[in-house]
Amino acid sequence: VQLQASGGGLVQAGGSLRLSCAASGLTFSSYTMAWFRQAPGKEREFVAAIRWSGDNTYYANFVKGRFTISRDNAKSTVYLQMNSLKPEDTAVYYCAAESAWLTTNSHDYPYWGQGTQVTVSS
């Protein structure tokens, strides 16, 4: 299984970025996909998740109304549209996959991408 995250970069506060995560080696349409992030000196935290069908999503409170998770099962890709970015959103963002229920616990996700850096300047 491979998860390849991309789309990170440097953006000013208030700006937008769109992260992508392309999956291979798994039946993508059967997996819940999620985004987590980890800032320097902090633990990895849940950002958003989307069920295999795309009909159920869940967000951390700190991104509600600003971030949108979506997926294209035909392309085996999950996206994270990030708007109104804040300096505190600066972190390495990771995509993850798991084959059971939608969960916010990182320990439930067996497959992880390599991470993409998002830096938001003030």
Side-chain angles (χ1 to χ4, degrees):
V1 175
Q2 285 194 328
L3 303 178
Q4 183 69 40
S6 61
L10 174 64
V11 64
Q12 289 188 332
S16 299
L17 282 174
R18 188 194 195 202
L19 305 184
S20 300
C21 175
S24 61
L26 75 168
T27 305
F28 182 78
S29 58
S30 298
Y31 280 75
T32 288
M33 300 298 296
W35 290 94
F36 290 78
R37 70 185 187 185
Q38 187 167 19
K42 295 187 176 182
E43 292 187 354
R44 190 170 298 188
E45 62 181 355
F46 171 80
V47 175
I50 185 167
R51 275 194 69 199
W52 61 271
S53 59
D55 63 348
N56 192 7
T57 58
Y58 190 78
Y59 297 90
N61 286 335
F62 55 78
V63 302
K64 282 183 180 177
R66 299 190 299 126
F67 292 9
T68 302
I69 189 170
S70 62
R71 65 190 295 157
D72 185 337
N73 286 345
K75 296 182 178 179
S76 297
T77 301
V78 62
Y79 305 97
L80 185 68
Q81 177 67 44
M82 305 186 295
N83 299 327
S84 302
L85 283 162
K86 305 175 181 180
E88 51 264 43
D89 293 319
T90 295
V92 177
Y93 284 70
Y94 298 90
C95 58
E98 63 91 13
S99 61
W101 53 85
L102 194 155
T103 171
T104 64
N105 188 338
S106 63
H107 297 291
D108 292 330
Y109 288 82
Y111 304 118
W112 291 83
Q114 85 288 359
T116 184
Q117 176 71 48
V118 172
T119 303
V120 185
S121 63
S122 57

